[in-house]
Amino acid sequence: MTSPTPCYHCALPVPAGSHFTAVVLGESRPFCCPGCQAVAEAIVAGKLESYYQHRSEASANPEALPQQLVDELALYDRADVQQPYVRHDGSQAETTLLIEGISCAACGWLIEKHLRNLPGVAEARLNLSNHRLHVNWSDSELPLSRLLGELRQIGYAAHPYQADRAAEQLASENRTALRQLGVAGLLWFQAMMATMATWPEFNIDLSPELHTILRWVALFLTTPIVFYSCAPFFRGAARDLRTRHLTMDVSVSLAIGLAYFAGIWTAITGSGELYFDAVGMFALFLLAGRYLERRARERTAAATAQLVNLLPASCLRLNANGNSERILLRELQLGERVLVHPGAVMPADGRIVDGQSSIDESLLTGEYLPQPRQRGDTVTAGTLNVESALTVEVQALGQDTRLSAIVRLLERAQSEKPRLAQIADRASQWFLLFSLVAAAGIGLLWWQLDASRAFWIVLAMLVATCPCALSLATPTALTAATGTLHKLGLLLTRGHVLEGLNQIDTVIFDKTGTLTEGRLTLRAIRPLGALHADQCLRLAAALEHRSEHPIARAFGRTVAVAEDVQSTPGLGLEGRVEQQQLRIGQPAFVCDLSGTALPAMPDEPGQWLLLGDCQGPLAWFVLDDRLRQDAADLLAACRARGWQTLLLSGDSSPMVASVAAELKIDQAIGGLRPDDKLQRLNALQQQGHKVLMLGDGVNDVPVLAAADISIAMGSATDLAKTSADAVLLSNRLDALVQAFSLARRTRRIIIENLLWAALYNGLMLPFAALGWITPIWAAVGMSVSSLIVVLNALRLTRIKGLAPATGNHTAIHPATA
């Protein structure tokens, strides 16, 4: 008996006599029903046929799924794994799955139909609005892994749904805000119609009874707006009054409350004007502005929020025998080893103990090219392994990982308020106090001049002078700029950086690892005796074999290893290689071994080391630390801004002067201790200079902590990073050039926002006091003013002229200058 033809889309059997076909990838394909046929035709029409081209042909049966996926799905059959999200009632189980890949209602129909045909499935119900699938089934007949595998068969990835509390709270607040906005909009329109019908201009043959009914209808429609939609304003005002801290919620609540109770008075007595239409319009515009501002801030912070979700759900742990087993990430322990296949995400911070590959760190550093990593190098949780398998020893988990530290630093930077924001907050409080006093005074004056207009004018003043735009001017711009800088690979860890960069007039640079790559390379060998260059290199490499000094890496590794090696800090190494006593390091130190005179040092730039034995010098070695390719652009940007540039380094070699000359640095001093650097910085600050420090080593920590603005390189020591105001995660100096420009743009936009807010409020106050503006137009103006401020701040999310890094992308090892 021949097996039935599988549906080309869902792999279910095609019923006998079915004639549902469509041309996909140039061939006519069979389908089991019109739903699958329609989905396939939609995919083809949307030019997405590659979905079928790249879809695994083996996905029609679970046994043929990739072994890694089968192992991962099998984890979901464990009772401890199911405990948080699967509810058991006897033999029945119930869970909610989050489905990826749903594009239309036909997808929902296909998923439900496919699962309901499986043995043991009692219910399968998909919510198309949030892509959550509710399933009730017998887990004794159908394990959960099989259920997830069946969904994979038809092209949909499913994950157990667990609500993140913070995300759920944010989503709940957004839904509430949207409902409040909808209620205000719907009921305001109806209340406005009822209120307008009572106006003399529209009051044509309106009986007194109907006039009374319309007043009460308007009151009935406005009441939910006040007590439901406007509830956040009243709660905020009550909180502010308790803490004796004035905000715009106070003026908003006063305006809405006064207008509402004035309308009630009119509805009861039949005398005066109904203010219900003004209440509804004011509430609608204010709620719309706040909702748009909330969504704008969420979009700006989206890149930061994504960092939390970078880690995988499971990983491959290696046991003592070297065999791998898939476990949940929460089961991983420090010191254990994990196998990370190409295309997999690093589950934890660790050190590579076997293998070499390239790591994509773009989401953390902004560097778009994968970085080569080999045995002994460290890797970061959340980064992507690109080329080949790696064995990694776990060194940090959870809150101790670099990823978590970045998130905490971002949160700290966003929570701190720079001086400009503090001034704006104080200004808005004083302006609000002045507005309330002015409204009371103007109200009393108008009560004497024209009592019928006094209330209208006070209401218009309260609405028009609400300092919403003034309060939003600074935080929206700072939030947008912080998110943009993170995309460039510059992580702000303190809130005053953007403002402080505009006051800088002097920049201090470290050399090694900052302006240079921090990785010495052997450029040349100059033999001085009978030994050839290769023989001298073998002897030097044997001496340096066990040294952890950055210089040792330039000589590579060799089979020969020196014996009785002794290190003399600042001078060099001494040891025995094949019964030959050798020294390598400073010329005087090496020549002391043989008692011979110092040989002439070659007149070439670089760091020169001498190798010698008991008979005399054997060879010169010249080491070079190459400049970063974008260092010249950074110095050019500093000169263009008129900044003074200094190079302060602990390196006493001629390399300091060579680097300064090549980059046209104003002043360069080498051989400095950390306290010497700090004295130079303090002297500059006493002269009134605002100093930016850029460094990476432990010896830079005092200067980084004392500078007005400090930036640590991404390859810097942990102590340097925690002492700095910002961290250049990408190690790309051209990102700093863009940061300087963005700081200026941010300050300009903040000033524009503040000027606009001050101009609007300054003009509206006298206009409203003169009675030239009605409460309705005041509400419109206030909302438009706030929206302009938010949209102006969002201009900072656009990155102009962002060029990908090019050139050398070798691993950078931290070194101190």
Side-chain angles (χ1 to χ4, degrees):
M1 181 178 178
T2 59
S3 59
T5 303
C7 172
Y8 190 70
H9 181 75
C10 71
L12 287 176
V14 175
S18 174
H19 301 290
F20 300 109
T21 61
V23 177
V24 182
L25 298 175
E27 296 182 23
S28 179
R29 311 288 185 174
F31 298 94
C32 64
C33 63
C36 291
Q37 181 189 38
V39 171
E41 289 175 344
I43 290 174
V44 173
K47 299 180 180 180
L48 300 173
E49 286 181 284
S50 58
Y51 163 75
Y52 292 110
Q53 185 176 358
H54 298 298
R55 185 178 62 173
S56 172
E57 295 295 336
S59 63
N61 63 88
E63 289 75 19
L65 290 173
Q67 187 60 43
Q68 177 179 343
L69 179 58
V70 172
D71 293 341
E72 186 165 343
L73 292 180
L75 291 173
Y76 292 112
D77 293 335
R78 288 169 38 182
D80 59 324
V81 175
Q82 292 185 9
Q83 193 273 331
Y85 53 84
V86 178
R87 296 169 296 281
H88 293 273
D89 184 10
S91 61
Q92 291 297 112
E94 186 178 13
T95 191
T96 300
L97 304 175
L98 189 63
I99 310 297
E100 295 180 6
I102 294 176
S103 58
C104 63
C107 296
W109 174 86
L110 172 63
I111 290 170
E112 291 178 352
K113 177 185 175 183
H114 185 77
L115 292 185
R116 287 169 182 167
N117 288 335
L118 296 176
V121 175
E123 183 183 15
R125 192 174 66 250
L126 179 69
N127 186 332
L128 282 172
S129 62
N130 55 24
H131 296 182
R132 296 177 196 168
L133 175 67
H134 178 79
V135 186
N136 192 308
W137 82 106
S138 172
D139 58 353
S140 59
E141 297 182 58
L142 186 70
L144 181 56
S145 60
R146 171 77 186 284
L147 191 67
L148 299 175
E150 291 287 343
L151 287 167
R152 291 273 181 174
Q153 288 184 21
I154 55 177
Y156 301 98
H159 311 282
Y161 172 74
Q162 282 185 282
D164 177 76
R165 290 187 177 181
E168 277 293 290
Q169 182 179 357
L170 184 62
S172 176
E173 290 173 355
N174 285 336
R175 288 193 297 269
T176 301
L178 195 57
R179 280 197 300 267
Q180 291 170 336
L181 178 62
V183 168
L186 180 63
L187 296 183
W188 165 71
F189 186 77
Q190 305 300 325
M192 182 182 64
M193 298 297 291
T195 303
M196 288 176 62
T198 66
W199 292 358
E201 295 85 353
F202 299 97
N203 192 352
I204 302 174
D205 298 330
L206 189 66
S207 65
E209 293 78 10
L210 187 55
H211 195 285
T212 302
I213 291 174
L214 289 174
R215 291 200 305 267
W216 285 98
V217 167
L219 170 61
F220 175 77
L221 293 170
T222 308
T223 299
I225 298 178
V226 174
F227 290 99
Y228 174 69
S229 297
C230 298
F233 303 136
F234 293 114
R235 285 196 295 267
R239 178 197 61 228
D240 297 335
L241 291 176
R242 283 197 304 270
T243 58
R244 298 181 181 181
H245 179 78
L246 288 178
T247 69
M248 60 184 180
D249 283 338
V250 176
S251 61
V252 167
S253 300
L254 277 174
I256 292 174
L258 288 175
Y260 178 68
F261 286 109
I264 293 177
W265 173 261
T266 300
I268 294 173
T269 63
S271 61
E273 297 289 339
L274 286 174
Y275 300 103
F276 296 133
D277 53 339
V279 171
M281 174 175 280
F282 185 41
L284 176 64
F285 286 153
L286 195 62
L287 288 168
R290 285 199 173 185
Y291 182 76
L292 291 174
E293 186 252 340
R294 170 196 288 270
R295 300 299 293 180
R297 284 192 298 179
E298 287 176 12
R299 286 195 301 270
T300 302
T304 305
Q306 288 176 356
L307 291 176
V308 184
N309 301 317
L310 288 179
L311 297 182
S314 64
C315 61
L316 285 174
R317 179 176 61 189
L318 297 176
N319 58 25
N321 299 325
N323 298 323
S324 64
E325 58 173 339
R326 185 160 293 276
I327 62 169
L328 292 174
L329 185 59
R330 66 170 182 261
E331 298 177 292
L332 194 61
Q333 302 293 324
L334 290 176
E336 293 182 333
R337 296 188 175 188
V338 293
L339 179 64
V340 185
H341 286 294
V345 175
M346 293 290 170
D349 289 359
R351 179 176 60 87
I352 299 175
V353 295
D354 188 26
Q356 61 181 10
S357 182
S358 294
I359 306 298
D360 182 355
E361 301 175 343
S362 57
L363 284 174
L364 293 179
T365 67
E367 176 59 71
Y368 86 108
L369 283 178
Q371 303 297 299
R373 295 288 183 266
Q374 57 189 351
R375 184 175 180 177
D377 291 341
T378 58
V379 290
T380 304
T383 56
L384 180 69
N385 184 18
V386 176
E387 291 181 340
S388 58
L390 294 173
T391 301
V392 177
E393 181 181 337
V394 177
Q395 295 180 326
L397 288 165
Q399 295 298 313
D400 298 326
T401 61
R402 183 187 177 201
L403 183 66
S404 297
I406 289 174
V407 173
R408 288 195 297 272
L409 289 173
L410 275 174
E411 290 173 348
R412 184 182 72 179
Q414 292 171 353
S415 64
E416 290 184 356
K417 282 189 176 182
R419 184 177 57 86
L420 203 57
Q422 295 171 359
I423 292 174
D425 285 348
R426 287 196 296 268
S428 64
Q429 289 186 51
W430 282 108
F431 179 78
L432 181 58
L433 180 61
F434 173 77
S435 299
L436 294 175
V437 173
I442 296 296
L444 291 174
L445 179 62
W446 274 100
W447 186 263
Q448 302 295 326
L449 299 176
D450 187 353
S452 63
R453 299 186 61 191
F455 184 80
W456 272 103
I457 289 173
V458 171
L459 184 60
M461 289 181 66
L462 289 174
V463 173
T465 58
C466 176
C468 301
L470 195 61
S471 299
L472 293 174
T474 304
T476 50
L478 291 176
T479 301
T482 301
T484 302
L485 286 175
H486 186 239
K487 293 178 185 176
L488 292 171
L490 181 64
L491 173 68
L492 303 188
T493 65
R494 290 179 175 85
H496 70 282
V497 174
L498 278 169
E499 181 185 5
L501 284 176
N502 292 290
Q503 302 168 358
I504 294 300
D505 58 22
T506 304
V507 186
I508 296 177
F509 296 97
D510 176 45
K511 179 180 74 68
T512 307
T514 303
L515 294 177
T516 67
E517 294 179 353
R519 185 176 57 88
L520 292 171
T521 56
L522 182 61
R523 193 176 76 224
I525 304 174
R526 301 281 189 270
L528 298 174
L531 296 180
H532 296 297
D534 290 343
Q535 294 173 305
C536 294
L537 177 60
R538 185 176 64 84
L539 294 174
L543 273 176
E544 299 278 2
H545 184 82
R546 290 196 175 96
S547 174
E548 295 298 325
H549 195 279
I551 289 177
R553 300 189 185 100
F555 292 90
R557 298 305 182 193
T558 180
V559 176
V561 179
E563 300 175 351
D564 302 327
V565 177
Q566 295 180 350
S567 174
T568 304
L571 296 178
L573 299 174
E574 180 178 355
R576 190 171 65 255
V577 180
E578 298 173 356
Q579 305 306 316
Q580 184 179 5
Q581 196 71 17
L582 296 167
R583 282 187 180 181
I584 186 171
Q586 296 292 333
F589 171 71
V590 173
C591 291
D592 282 346
L593 181 64
S594 58
T596 56
L598 294 176
M601 182 180 293
D603 188 17
E604 297 179 31
Q607 183 166 349
W608 290 89
L609 300 177
L610 186 63
L611 173 69
D613 59 8
C614 295
Q615 307 302 319
L618 297 177
W620 284 107
F621 296 89
V622 59
L623 305 179
D624 200 356
D625 186 5
R626 287 179 294 186
L627 283 174
R628 296 185 186 272
Q629 291 190 342
D630 45 9
D633 294 336
L634 175 59
L635 268 298
C638 293
R639 288 193 298 271
R641 287 166 171 77
W643 294 349
Q644 178 186 1
T645 54
L646 290 86
L647 176 59
L648 304 182
S649 176
D651 186 359
S652 58
S653 72
M655 276 291 294
V656 176
S658 174
V659 168
E662 184 173 350
L663 295 177
K664 301 178 182 178
I665 294 175
D666 297 331
Q667 185 180 5
I669 306 174
L672 295 178
R673 298 189 305 272
D675 54 338
D676 297 329
K677 292 185 178 182
L678 186 59
Q679 288 178 3
R680 300 274 178 177
L681 171 68
N682 291 335
L684 289 169
Q685 290 176 327
Q686 289 172 3
Q687 296 170 12
H689 292 288
K690 296 294 183 180
V691 183
L692 166 67
M693 172 65 191
L694 183 64
D696 79 318
V698 173
N699 60 337
D700 297 322
V701 169
V703 191
L704 288 170
D708 297 281
I709 300 291
S710 56
I711 301 176
M713 301 297 290
S715 55
T717 61
D718 291 339
L719 187 57
K721 291 178 184 177
T722 55
S723 302
D725 301 319
V727 180
L728 189 60
L729 294 173
S730 63
N731 285 316
R732 288 170 41 183
L733 298 179
D734 59 348
L736 289 180
V737 178
Q738 293 177 307
F740 298 155
S741 300
L742 186 65
R744 288 192 173 185
R745 287 177 58 204
T746 303
R747 182 177 179 83
R748 185 173 67 249
I749 283 180
I750 288 175
I751 292 174
E752 288 173 0
N753 285 348
L754 291 174
L755 287 176
W756 165 255
L759 179 65
Y760 165 77
N761 285 294
L763 290 176
M764 290 300 104
L765 184 62
F767 288 171
L770 292 171
W772 294 352
I773 298 175
T774 64
I776 291 179
W777 285 110
V780 173
M782 182 276 305
S783 301
V784 171
S785 175
S786 300
L787 188 59
I788 288 174
V789 164
V790 173
L791 293 178
N792 192 37
L794 288 179
R795 291 165 51 204
L796 293 170
T797 60
R798 297 198 298 269
I799 306 175
K800 298 181 179 179
L802 178 60
T806 57
N808 183 18
H809 296 281
T810 54
I812 299 172
H813 299 278
T816 56

